[in-house]
């Protein structure tokens, strides 16, 4: 069992061969206390996979049950600018990032597509990373971190103006989501 309040992120994974069949794996990152017993550590490893194999419909249904209202299909405009293909030539067509006001979505991958879904009320920090090649191409990567240990949402190769907007709006959205969550309790 996984308490809903401890879920820090959900990740949909599409390995390259599985895409031919429309299969997904759904993993969950849960905030936990440190475990000391070996049996507890083994149980923690198993609990990370929410479902090892699912069809697209089943994966969407499960995601909607774990995070009501979540939809991991990238909307139009979530792709990086065309110049980002110079920085990420093998993953460019897989990259996407968007938010819906309650969750942040980040998709990446070369052969294996991974879509990370973070509830904004769990976001603890947001940062922008710009390397020399990214600076030359006028793109940046925005990272959102949670208390979970496994993943962060990395919005790769965003236009520098979009990255600046994300850097401004995500902390505000996260703060508002936390306030709304505390008021609903």
């Amino acid at each position: 069992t996984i308490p809903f309040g401890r879920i820090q992120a959900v990740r949909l994974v599409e390995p390259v061969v599985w895409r031919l069949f429309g299969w997904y794996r759904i993993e969950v990152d849960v905030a936990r206390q440190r475990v000391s017993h070996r049996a507890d550590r083994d149980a923690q490893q198993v609990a990370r996979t929410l479902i090892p194999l699912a069809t697209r419909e089943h994966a969407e249904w499960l995601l909607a049950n774990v995070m009501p209202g979540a939809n991991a299909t990238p909307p139009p405009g979530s792709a990086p600018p065309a110049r980002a293909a110079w920085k990420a030539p093998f993953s460019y067509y897989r990259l996407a990032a968007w938010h819906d006001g309650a969750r942040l979505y980040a998709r990446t991958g070369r052969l294996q597509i991974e879509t990370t879904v973070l509830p904004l009320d769990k976001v603890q920090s947001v940062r922008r990373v710009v390397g020399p090649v990214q600076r030359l191409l006028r793109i940046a990567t925005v990272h959102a971190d949670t208390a979970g240990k496994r993943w962060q949402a990395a919005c790769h190769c965003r236009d520098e103006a979009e990255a600046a907007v994300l850097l401004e709006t995500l902390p505000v959205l996260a703060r508002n989501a936390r306030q709304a969550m505390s008021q609903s309790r």
Side-chain angles (χ1 to χ4, degrees), residues 17-85:
V17 176
W18 288 18
R19 284 201 305 270
L20 299 171
F21 304 103
W23 294 341
Y24 293 78
R25 178 176 66 242
I26 300 180
E27 300 172 340
V28 65
D29 191 11
V30 179
R32 295 179 183 257
Q33 294 178 343
R34 186 177 176 136
V35 294
S36 58
H37 296 93
R38 179 171 172 75
D40 292 340
R41 274 188 244 131
D42 293 342
Q44 184 177 3
Q45 291 289 338
V46 172
R48 290 181 180 156
T49 300
L50 202 56
I51 190 163
L53 180 66
T55 63
R56 173 121 185 131
E57 295 79 25
H58 194 205
E60 288 174 351
W61 176 83
L62 188 58
L63 178 63
N65 280 300
V66 172
M67 290 188 179
N71 181 5
T73 304
S78 62
R83 64 186 177 275

Side-chain angles (χ1 to χ4, degrees), residues 84-133:
W86 289 100
K87 170 70 172 116
F90 299 112
S91 61
Y92 171 75
Y93 292 102
R94 308 275 187 242
L95 296 178
W98 69 101
H99 66 84
D100 61 7
R103 287 162 294 280
L104 174 65
Y105 303 84
R107 187 176 74 178
T108 188
R110 292 183 181 105
L111 295 177
Q112 176 172 289
I113 300 172
E114 298 174 356
T115 304
T116 305
V117 183
L118 266 82
L120 285 174
D121 63 325
K122 302 296 183 180
V123 172
Q124 293 187 343
S125 67
V126 179
R127 68 185 186 284
R128 183 179 70 163
V129 177
V130 182
V133 174

